[in-house]
Amino acid sequence: MQLQYVAEEKDDGKTVKSILRSEFRFSKNLVRRLHYHGQVLCNRIPVYMNHAVQCGDVVEASIDFEEESKNVLPVEMDLNILYEDESVIALDKPPGKIVHPIKGNMENTMANGLMYYYRKKGLHRKIRPVGRLDQGTTGVILFAKNQFVQDQLIRQMKTGDYQKEYIGIVHGRLKENSGTIDFPIARTPGSILLRETSPDGAPSVTRYRVLKTFRDASVLHFALETGRTHQIRVHCRAIGHPLIGDTLYSDIPTTRIDRQALHSQSLRFLHPITGRETKIVSPLPKDMLALLESLNTDPMSDG
């Protein structure tokens, strides 16, 4: 993928490095890597980063140089591809899968399956997940196909242009049909995994809306303003309505589902190359549909 910029009068005397940072919005790390791989041209000629440009010069950068994640083994598996183009690929994550290899699970992850898919298509790519989903959470997970796209999407997380929405099924019936949960979240002292609300934690904001209520359960729509580890799960516990099936943040036993009832339903972002708003949707998985069906035997009201 080749990006191009034609220098204007205001750019006279600027270095190629400055153009890459200001006009292409490349990170410092990406500029260094492009320089190392010789992927930057000015008027079709390879140049150093300190080369000064003049009005009318054409600066080009190839952002698809070959690279691979050497620590991710390719493993054949069924992947449900929700969306793909030359910049990104979105997968529908099933329950029980983790996104990236960790100690003790180096082969049965979404990244392993994606590496196999890349290899089969003759692509040399690093595995670049944009965000994470917990092992028990299902739904849309996005991967960038190069560092530029990943950098731009991470930047959108900070500006609010990258929006994730979830569907969750919680214990109990909420008093309000919508609201905002604004509790800072920190790591639980003495635990690597657990999180808790704490005045000393990082700012964490979750907006919710009730979609349907049952005798002692509710279906909620969640929109995140921040993206902390276990944010929805921790916030649901904090308001007294933990997710059904959440064995980390709920003491309420259930046999209706064997994981937390949480699904990454949709993802919306501005495409880093075209600038167009892109929305990707994942349907509710079978186990959550079955949970809803079991709850539907005695509904109190519909939202």
Side-chain angles (χ1 to χ4, degrees), residues 224-240:
L224 302 183
E225 292 186 14
T226 55
R228 311 302 176 197
T229 299
H230 297 177
Q231 178 172 317
I232 293 175
R233 301 168 68 182
V234 173
H235 274 172
C236 284
R237 180 183 67 174
I239 64 172

Side-chain angles (χ1 to χ4, degrees), residues 127-251:
I127 303 300
R128 298 181 177 277
V130 184
R132 294 287 196 274
L133 291 178
D134 295 339
Q135 183 172 358
T137 302
T138 54
V140 183
I141 179 74
L142 188 69
F143 294 82
K145 290 188 176 180
N146 58 60
Q147 186 179 340
F148 169 74
V149 169
Q150 185 181 40
D151 288 345
Q152 296 302 307
L153 291 171
I154 291 174
R155 183 177 286 115
Q156 288 186 32
M157 290 180 180
K158 299 175 182 178
T159 62
D161 292 316
Y162 186 97
Q163 294 286 334
K164 295 182 71 174
E165 298 182 352
Y166 293 77
I167 297 295
I169 308 173
V170 303
H171 290 284
R173 304 176 66 198
L174 283 73
K175 294 180 180 179
E176 304 292 337
N177 285 328
S178 63
T180 299
I181 310 169
D182 186 356
F183 297 135
I185 293 176
R187 190 188 301 273
T188 301
S191 175
I192 296 176
L193 179 62
L194 292 174
R195 301 297 192 271
E196 64 182 18
T197 57
S198 168
D200 300 323
S204 308
V205 180
T206 303
R207 290 182 284 111
Y208 73 87
R209 176 166 48 89
V210 177
L211 300 180
K212 185 168 184 171
T213 56
F214 300 91
R215 182 176 59 181
D216 196 26
S218 302
V219 182
L220 304 184
H221 169 276
F222 298 102
L224 302 183
E225 292 186 14
T226 55
R228 311 302 176 197
T229 299
H230 297 177
Q231 178 172 317
I232 293 175
R233 301 168 68 182
V234 173
H235 274 172
C236 284
R237 180 183 67 174
I239 64 172
H241 296 280
L243 290 161
I244 294 177
D246 193 340
T247 56
L248 282 181
Y249 297 103
S250 175
D251 296 325

